[in-house]
Amino acid sequence: MRKNLKKMLIIGMVALLASSLIYGVVSDDTKYSPIGYSLKMDFSGEEVPTFMADVQERLDKEMITNMNYHTNTTLVIKRANKVFPIIEPILAKYGVPDDFKYLAVIESSLVNAVSPAGARGIWQFMPETAKEKGMEVSDEVDERYHLEKSTEAACKYLLKAKEKFGSWTLAAASYNGGMNGISKRLEEQQVDNYYDLLLTEETSRYVFRILALKEIMTHAHKYGFSIPKEALYYTIPTKKIVIDSSITDLAKFAKIQGVNYKILKIHNPWLRDKKLTNTTGKKYEIEIPTSGYNK
């Protein structure tokens, strides 16, 4: 019996020690702070109310998920080195907080993704919304795949949402839940901020996913993502050619420009066909890489 008592005592001490490595006491017996990150977080300057039990748990879930989702988190950190320098100045130009670049991360992992519902591109626009924001969407041209133009369209949406809700956090949530959807829930539940709303699981997680990726990507080394600078993806230098007429064969056009069809499409993913029909004289800028593909 003495041996069993000793064994139970050892097990209890180990369990206590293990729990202390995961959570540390903040101020009293009911509040805990996960080891490894601060609960003092903000989104676009708006403080996250982590004193609320459910808010703290929801944030912790997304932190743990993304800290341990090594493949995807590693890839978005590598891609950000190439994509963020394009997104950041456009956000700044429109007066949209820099934190919104992490919205693009959770929408698409910074690739031209296609959702089951039909949303496309890094900013995941549906066809009608894209057209409303001034993007061309057709069989031959789909500017949802144009990073600069789709970022500008996202900025226009977010500015309108901020004007409607008076909060960048609610503007972000509406990017997933829709402005009408968020407005309806605010009215039904008689609250005025995201953290007090009961929403669908996806929208409920949305801002917390942004917060987690912001924290982990900003302090990547701290969370075990020690990626050498030379291993990050980088921007390929290009020149822009203005086209105001039709191109009957993009493969031949690419060869004339000193590249091949594959390279042309990689750098101009908004070109969706093998040709470009342009009967109105509209001006398109086509990017041609000037290096990056030769020994």
Side-chain angles (χ1 to χ4, degrees), residues 44-276:
S44 300
E46 297 173 5
E47 187 178 353
V48 182
T50 51
F51 61 86
M52 297 169 64
D54 72 301
V55 169
Q56 189 177 141
E57 281 194 27
R58 288 154 69 191
L59 175 61
D60 196 41
K61 175 184 176 181
E62 302 307 329
M63 285 295 299
I64 291 170
T65 298
N66 288 284
M67 280 191 286
N68 290 283
Y69 193 5
H70 295 287
T71 301
N72 190 68
T73 305
T74 298
L75 285 171
V76 296
I77 291 170
K78 289 165 75 77
R79 290 171 189 151
N81 192 61
K82 179 169 68 172
V83 177
F84 279 1
I86 298 171
I87 291 177
E88 288 166 347
I90 298 173
L91 294 176
K93 172 187 170 184
Y94 280 87
V96 175
D98 192 65
D99 280 359
F100 278 94
K101 64 191 180 189
Y102 300 104
L103 185 150
V105 173
I106 69 162
E107 280 288 337
S108 63
S109 294
L110 301 180
V111 296
N112 280 312
V114 179
S115 80
R120 297 181 181 231
I122 283 177
W123 289 94
Q124 288 288 281
F125 277 100
M126 294 294 286
E128 291 308 312
T129 308
K131 291 174 184 177
E132 287 171 8
K133 299 303 176 187
M135 286 186 279
E136 182 178 346
V137 179
S138 68
D139 291 338
E140 291 187 2
V141 173
D142 192 338
E143 292 180 332
R144 291 178 293 173
Y145 291 94
H146 193 298
L147 182 55
E148 289 91 340
K149 291 185 178 182
S150 62
T151 302
E152 289 185 348
C155 287
K156 292 173 185 176
Y157 176 93
L158 293 166
L159 288 171
K160 186 177 179 181
K162 171 60 163 59
E163 183 180 5
K164 181 178 181 64
F165 297 115
S167 159
W168 286 117
T169 306
L170 282 170
S174 77
Y175 201 89
N176 179 260
M179 285 193 224
N180 290 337
I182 295 298
S183 292
K184 186 176 180 181
R185 298 294 170 265
L186 288 169
E187 184 178 353
E188 287 175 347
Q189 298 175 33
Q190 300 178 38
V191 294
D192 61 4
N193 73 82
Y194 172 78
Y195 301 104
D196 284 332
L197 278 174
L198 182 64
L199 298 162
T200 63
E201 182 180 0
E202 185 179 355
T203 310
S204 181
R205 292 181 61 188
Y206 198 73
V207 172
F208 293 96
R209 291 175 63 206
I210 296 173
L211 289 166
L213 266 300
K214 172 189 171 183
E215 172 67 17
I216 293 167
M217 293 176 73
T218 303
H219 308 288
H221 184 78
K222 176 181 177 181
Y223 296 102
F225 297 95
S226 302
I227 305 170
K229 187 176 181 180
E230 60 271 18
L232 300 172
Y233 300 148
Y234 57 93
T235 303
I236 304 295
T238 63
K239 62 181 179 181
K240 292 185 178 181
I241 297 175
V242 178
I243 299 294
D244 59 4
S245 59
S246 296
I247 301 173
T248 56
D249 189 329
L250 285 172
K252 287 183 179 179
F253 173 82
K255 280 197 169 186
I256 293 170
Q257 301 303 325
V259 295
N260 60 35
Y261 182 74
K262 178 197 76 174
I263 295 171
L264 178 72
K265 283 299 191 82
I266 287 173
H267 288 272
N268 301 276
W270 53 273
L271 290 169
R272 304 308 297 170
D273 205 340
K274 297 176 182 178
K275 64 184 186 300
L276 175 62

